[in-house]
Amino acid sequence: MTTLYHPHEIEPKWQNVWEEQKVFKVTEDPSRKKYYCLEMLPYPSGRIHMGHVRNYSIGDVVARYKRMRGFNVLHPMGWDAFGMPAENAAIAHKTHPAQWTQQNIRTMKSQLQRMGFSYDWDREIATSEPDYYKWEQLLFLRLYEKRLAYKKRSFVNWCDSCQTVLANEQVEGGKCWRCDSTILLRPLEQWFLKITAYARELREETHKLKGWPEKVLAMQREWIGESEGAMVRFPIEESPKESIEIFTTRPDTLFGVTFLSLAAEHPLVLELSKGASQEAEVRRFIEKVARIDRTKRLAGEYEKEGVFTGATCLHPLNNRRLPIYAANFVLMEYGTGAVMAVPAHDQRDFEFARKYGLPIEVVIQPSATEPLHPQTMKEAYVEPGVMANSGRFDGIPSETAKGQIVASLGSCGEKSTIYKLRDWGISRQRYWGAPIPILYCPNCGEVPVPEKDLPVVLPTDVAFTGTGGSPLKKVESFLKTPCPNCPGTATRETDTMDTFMESSWYFLRYCSPHHDRGMFDPKQVDYWMPVDQYIGGVEHAVLHLLYARFFSKVLRDIGWHHLSEPFENLLTQGMVIKDGAKMSKSKGNVVDPDALIEKYGADTVRFFSLFAAPPEKDLDWSESGVEGGVRFLRRVWTLMDRLISKGEFAERESPEEKRKVHQTIKKVTGDLEEFHFNTAIASLMELHNFFHDSKIVPSKKSLETFILLLTPFVPHFCEELWRLLGRQELVSTASWPSYEEEAVRAERVTFVVQVNGTLRARLEVAVGLSEEAVRELALKEENVVKHLARKKVVKTIFVPNRLMNLVVQ
């Protein structure tokens, strides 16, 4: 055995062995318990960074550990390959997104393989391949049939830089999550998925996800939202058969409504003002509101403004005429995009009414002795009280009146629960995405692409200019196609799907990646799903994770599988921090793992990322921490070199050695079950120190156990030592060691013996020794006997496993 640790010789050697022997290839085996370990698939941006390394090292430890525990482990990898960055790169570098993406995949795959991750590469997928997105298009058609996919005109979040629509979840701080440009509101026809149809179930089932972090579940509940109240309809005076529907949690204030407010982007605003003298002013107001920073608008950090639409509606209970305003503080994404304005009992309405000279009607009085008067009010009264100016409800406590008023609405309203969640806009005005399988025929209208014609393949002969929206509109061979329903020529939809569509079901495709008769093989999905452990960043809490849960419920309801929730357990790892900021290309603080591998080896890089911080906490980058990791591995190597070279192992474990080894097995096993990787490694360091510092010669069995426990963290290193110890099978396929509870319980502790609080002796005794037994031993200690001479023990203070204090006088 060489006396030096050479990771650059060891690591490629064992990676080749794993590949040749297909060690991590897995198939369904009903006789074994399965374990599906999955990290969120990466976007092929060019090169992996330390954030990737940390995420995938965590997953690899779990997968290797579970495999050694006897589980049939599925641990796949693939690529979230569509998206705007590839299209931007094509424009900047005069290349094709497919070519750019494929090159990045080759590079990143090579990097992941150098790290020694235990992936079943036979299951690799790329979401930009037609044989993947074909099934996504088929799902879209099924949703279209069930009216869960639909097209409508609405105001959308528009990124001028990316020239595309963004979902609400993709707007961060009023800016594009990709390029950081300010987002504008723009009216546009686009496709939606009706995720709101599942709002109640999505929210309720967060309480059943026991293996998820509470912070993620809280974020999802907050995003979905839930408000109980009443839906009320106000007939439009100019069109009595039409009405404006509002939702309110305060039906007790209904008699205090003096006007209605609509969001500027509400489709009725332009319709109501059309032909009126206010039409031009309304249009200017809409444009002004579209330029308000989204974050400020959500937070209300701007002056409350509005404009009269020129139309009025009727109060459903007293038939009072109410003006209809467009207001900048009303948001389309909340409720119905319309609110009943009660200035006396809502502060925003109060400020708006004062500014525009609108009536204020007090309908809830705090007390009969000090009644409120609209003329003297300085602010809205928002607390409960007694009903006033509300007809037959006068004098009733306002909380009691809520239900009675809702009951009195008849056909004009009813009790209702609404959700903050809005339908998912999936249209993107770009090229590099899955085509939406819809045609537009001048004779037949909107026509779904026949299933036999799937996939609608993204054409490759596309020119990228970066201007003018989607380049698909200029590809005649793609754009024009025969209508399947008539002899005419139809036009294809040129919007492509949001990339969250691909990542909402990829985990199902891994179960049967080569299945060619559907999205997945139901039998294989029944075996592998749900994912037992999902690992990824908390930044995906309401983006990817919510959509993936939605897809699982949709697929269940159309009969493709039986699963309601896709992920049994979720681990959200912290970020890698360097120079006080998240490690990222945009901040210029990225550390290239390849450079670290060249200098230290992959096992050292893995070791550092796992030992430096608990997985759920942020990890501060430290070159000295990496060097500390390689120093530990070298010390282990040196110790093993000395022992193996001499070949003088103890025939059997000494009691002390057995106790220490079995304590370590128990500790490391428990820590791995709880993802406490750093403390597990610390225990292994202690065991190494025991072997190194102890005067006894360890047994070969103890050294083998040490290597087995270390294997999930530094697998190449352990494969080499395992072989040098004479074992012919791979340590990666070996069984995890078990501990004997009796050996663990036989631990000895140092007992402090005091006389009147002063240390007089130390005893090495077995754990759990009784007070009587410890006292008997203490009274035999020479120094204790000396300090008890001619004195009487009047009291004994006993702390199990720690201390005995003899109080004397």
Side-chain angles (χ1 to χ4, degrees):
M1 177 177 177
T2 179
T3 58
L4 297 176
Y5 168 47
H6 291 296
H8 303 104
E9 296 174 6
I10 293 170
E11 290 170 359
K13 167 186 170 181
W14 291 108
Q15 288 165 14
N16 289 335
V17 171
W18 295 334
E19 174 59 29
E20 289 167 4
Q21 296 188 21
K22 297 292 182 184
V23 172
F24 307 119
K25 182 177 175 61
V26 66
T27 56
E28 297 73 33
D29 182 353
S31 68
R32 298 172 64 196
K33 189 173 181 180
K34 67 92 180 178
Y35 192 89
Y36 189 171
C37 179
L38 182 63
E39 303 99 57
M40 294 180 184
L41 83 173
Y43 178 77
S45 57
R47 302 186 70 81
I48 66 171
H49 52 68
M50 284 304 296
H52 290 117
V53 168
R54 189 184 190 200
N55 188 22
Y56 305 143
S57 294
I58 290 168
D60 198 56
V61 169
V62 175
R64 287 178 178 273
Y65 166 69
K66 290 294 184 180
R67 190 177 289 107
M68 294 175 76
R69 291 299 301 267
F71 287 87
N72 192 26
V73 176
L74 173 59
H75 190 209
M77 176 51 67
W79 312 97
D80 193 11
F82 274 139
M84 180 58 68
E87 197 160 341
N88 290 342
I91 296 165
H93 302 296
K94 295 182 170 33
T95 185
H96 195 281
Q99 182 180 344
W100 186 84
T101 299
Q102 290 159 7
Q103 177 57 50
N104 288 350
I105 287 174
R106 286 192 292 270
T107 299
M108 293 177 71
K109 180 176 180 180
S110 174
Q111 289 182 292
L112 294 179
Q113 289 174 324
R114 286 191 73 187
M115 288 298 302
F117 296 133
S118 58
Y119 296 127
D120 181 354
W121 284 107
D122 288 347
R123 292 176 182 263
E124 179 184 10
I125 61 172
T127 61
S128 58
E129 294 299 320
D131 63 358
Y132 181 88
Y133 64 74
K134 168 184 180 178
W135 307 112
E136 189 173 308
Q137 291 174 338
L138 178 61
L139 176 60
F140 178 92
L141 294 178
R142 294 291 181 271
L143 296 177
Y144 183 80
E145 290 169 7
K146 293 181 173 294
R147 298 186 179 181
L148 291 172
Y150 65 95
K151 194 173 189 181
K152 72 173 183 179
R153 183 175 180 83
S154 69
F155 277 79
V156 296
N157 303 308
W158 178 261
C159 176
D160 227 18
S161 175
C162 295
Q163 286 286 293
T164 191
V165 168
L166 300 179
N168 290 339
E169 299 91 331
Q170 294 165 314
V171 179
E172 299 176 350
K175 297 182 181 296
C176 173
W177 75 310
R178 285 287 191 195
C179 71
D180 213 34
S181 297
T182 299
I183 297 304
L184 303 174
L185 290 176
R186 173 177 292 186
L188 201 68
E189 288 275 343
Q190 66 162 349
W191 286 95
F192 290 85
L193 297 188
K194 200 170 181 60
I195 190 173
T196 52
Y198 290 83
R200 181 186 297 275
E201 185 182 358
L202 286 166
R203 194 174 194 279
E204 288 179 352
E205 289 203 353
T206 60
H207 298 286
K208 300 178 183 178
L209 298 173
K210 303 302 182 184
W212 284 44
E214 182 55 37
K215 64 179 179 181
V216 173
L217 298 174
M219 291 167 72
Q220 290 215 358
R221 290 180 199 124
E222 171 62 24
W223 187 261
I224 297 168
E226 184 178 64
S227 298
E228 294 185 355
M231 199 67 74
V232 184
R233 288 171 285 278
F234 290 74
I236 298 172
E237 188 174 26
E238 291 79 4
S239 305
K241 293 183 179 180
E242 297 182 35
S243 60
I244 297 174
E245 194 170 52
I246 65 94
F247 174 82
T248 179
T249 59
R250 295 291 308 274
D252 52 326
T253 66
L254 192 57
F255 284 90
V257 176
T258 60
F259 60 98
L260 255 60
S261 299
L262 305 182
E265 57 270 35
H266 196 294
L268 273 177
V269 170
L270 284 174
E271 186 180 327
L272 292 174
S273 62
K274 191 173 183 179
S277 59
Q278 294 90 346
E279 183 176 4
E281 186 180 359
V282 168
R283 289 185 179 276
R284 285 193 296 270
F285 178 74
I286 292 172
E287 293 171 5
K288 182 179 180 180
V289 173
R291 292 191 294 271
I292 298 176
D293 180 276
R294 180 179 172 79
T295 304
K296 291 182 179 178
R297 193 170 177 210
L298 288 170
E301 297 171 357
Y302 50 88
E303 184 181 358
K304 309 300 183 290
E305 294 182 328
V307 61
F308 178 47
T309 62
T312 55
C313 62
L314 300 175
H315 196 293
L317 293 179
N318 56 28
N319 221 33
R320 182 190 301 168
R321 297 176 73 242
L322 306 171
I324 303 170
Y325 277 75
N328 62 3
F329 59 84
V330 182
L331 303 174
M332 263 315 286
E333 53 261 52
Y334 292 105
T336 63
V339 299
M340 63 180 205
V342 187
H345 306 292
D346 180 275
Q347 188 59 30
R348 292 183 312 174
D349 296 341
F350 181 84
E351 294 170 9
F352 192 90
R354 282 278 193 257
K355 180 172 183 174
Y356 292 100
L358 295 166
I360 298 175
E361 184 80 28
V362 176
V363 293
I364 297 176
Q365 293 286 1
S367 69
T369 55
E370 297 182 11
L372 296 172
H373 299 285
Q375 300 81 359
T376 58
M377 290 177 70
K378 302 297 184 185
E379 61 183 3
Y381 177 74
V382 298
E383 302 300 325
V386 177
M387 299 296 295
N389 300 315
S390 300
R392 63 187 175 91
F393 302 102
D394 286 358
I396 299 174
S398 58
E399 290 298 309
T400 304
K402 285 182 178 180
Q404 296 179 13
I405 290 175
V406 173
S408 73
L409 286 168
S411 62
C412 291
E414 61 279 326
K415 185 178 179 181
S416 180
T417 300
I418 69 162
Y419 298 89
K420 189 167 62 175
L421 181 68
R422 299 292 89 188
D423 280 342
W424 175 11
I426 64 164
S427 290
R428 298 296 180 265
Q429 293 67 45
R430 63 183 178 217
Y431 164 74
W432 194 234
I436 296 174
I438 292 292
L439 307 174
Y440 302 99
C441 174
N443 303 316
C444 308
E446 202 172 86
V447 181
V449 172
E451 185 177 330
K452 65 180 179 62
D453 293 337
L454 297 180
V456 177
V457 178
L458 204 60
T460 56
D461 54 336
V462 176
F464 299 97
T465 64
T467 60
S470 172
L472 290 175
K473 293 180 178 179
K474 300 173 183 176
V475 182
E476 195 71 15
S477 58
F478 172 81
L479 196 61
K480 302 297 182 183
T481 187
C483 176
N485 293 346
C486 77
T489 299
T491 302
R492 290 192 188 278
E493 173 63 75
T494 57
D495 283 358
T496 53
M497 296 190 205
D498 179 12
T499 53
F500 281 105
M501 290 283 288
E502 285 85 63
S503 61
S504 292
W505 68 279
Y506 77 102
F507 43 88
L508 292 162
R509 187 65 179 174
Y510 280 143
C511 297
S512 50
H514 310 297
H515 188 62
D516 60 2
R517 297 187 301 280
M519 217 175 199
F520 44 78
D521 184 329
K523 291 182 179 178
Q524 290 173 308
V525 163
D526 283 347
Y527 176 80
W528 289 114
M529 290 295 290
V531 173
D532 294 279
Q533 186 61 59
Y534 200 31
I535 303 165
V538 72
E539 65 270 19
H540 297 292
V542 294
L543 289 150
H544 158 63
L545 289 171
L546 186 63
Y547 293 151
R549 295 181 60 222
F550 165 57
F551 260 46
S552 284
K553 297 176 192 310
V554 165
L555 290 167
R556 174 201 65 196
D557 289 349
I558 62 177
W560 287 4
H561 69 45
H562 309 292
L563 201 68
S564 291
E565 291 288 343
F567 312 123
E568 189 79 15
N569 299 286
L570 174 68
L571 172 66
T572 52
Q573 89 282 356
M575 298 180 294
V576 178
I577 306 296
K578 185 172 183 288
D579 304 327
K582 176 184 177 182
M583 197 176 281
S584 68
K585 290 180 181 179
S586 62
K587 292 182 171 62
N589 63 349
V590 168
V591 174
D592 188 347
D594 276 1
L596 293 175
I597 293 171
E598 288 298 326
K599 187 174 181 179
Y600 301 106
D603 278 335
T604 295
V605 178
R606 293 166 60 112
F607 187 90
F608 164 74
S609 68
L610 294 163
F611 181 56
E616 70 278 5
K617 303 293 185 182
D618 289 345
L619 183 157
D620 287 316
W621 167 253
S622 165
E623 185 81 24
S624 63
V626 181
E627 291 172 351
V630 78
R631 283 197 300 271
F632 170 70
L633 295 181
R634 287 170 181 164
R635 287 197 301 272
V636 173
W637 188 271
T638 300
L639 172 67
M640 298 295 290
D641 174 52
R642 174 169 59 82
L643 295 171
I644 293 172
S645 297
K646 290 183 178 180
E648 298 176 353
F649 304 110
E651 288 188 14
R652 63 184 61 184
E653 305 158 299
S654 68
E656 185 182 4
E657 175 188 342
K658 183 175 182 179
R659 181 168 58 251
K660 186 63 178 176
V661 169
H662 282 251
Q663 288 171 359
T664 306
I665 297 172
K666 182 176 182 180
K667 181 68 165 64
V668 172
T669 302
D671 283 347
L672 285 177
E673 290 290 342
E674 299 297 327
F675 308 124
H676 297 161
F677 306 130
N678 57 330
T679 56
I681 290 173
S683 296
L684 290 167
M685 288 177 166
E686 288 181 17
L687 183 56
H688 163 266
N689 292 340
F690 173 83
F691 290 145
H692 184 272
D693 299 337
S694 175
K695 295 178 182 179
I696 64 172
V697 177
S699 68
K700 188 176 180 182
K701 180 180 179 182
S702 292
L703 295 176
E704 288 175 345
T705 298
F706 175 68
I707 292 171
L708 287 168
L709 296 174
L710 192 58
T711 292
F713 306 101
V714 285
H716 314 87
F717 181 87
C718 291
E719 289 283 12
E720 187 72 11
L721 291 179
W722 189 250
R723 183 61 55 90
L724 291 169
L725 277 170
R727 301 299 294 261
Q728 293 306 305
E729 77 278 19
L730 294 173
V731 74
S732 294
T733 60
S735 296
W736 190 255
S738 59
Y739 62 89
E740 297 174 16
E741 195 63 57
E742 187 62 32
V744 173
R745 281 200 300 268
E747 179 184 2
R748 297 177 70 81
V749 293
T750 300
F751 226 102
V752 171
V753 180
Q754 299 174 338
V755 176
N756 284 349
T758 302
L759 174 66
R760 298 304 180 191
R762 286 190 175 90
L763 300 174
E764 289 291 323
V765 299
V767 168
L769 204 63
S770 68
E771 180 177 350
E772 293 75 15
V774 173
R775 182 187 175 102
E776 182 179 345
L777 292 171
L779 292 176
K780 293 178 182 179
E781 289 291 313
E782 182 180 347
N783 197 38
V784 173
V785 172
K786 183 174 72 173
H787 286 87
L788 292 180
R790 297 183 300 277
K791 294 177 182 176
K792 181 181 179 182
V793 178
V794 295
K795 183 179 180 182
T796 301
I797 300 171
F798 180 77
V799 180
N801 299 322
R802 292 180 60 188
L803 175 144
M804 173 173 278
N805 182 22
L806 302 173
V807 181
V808 300
Q809 62 181 23

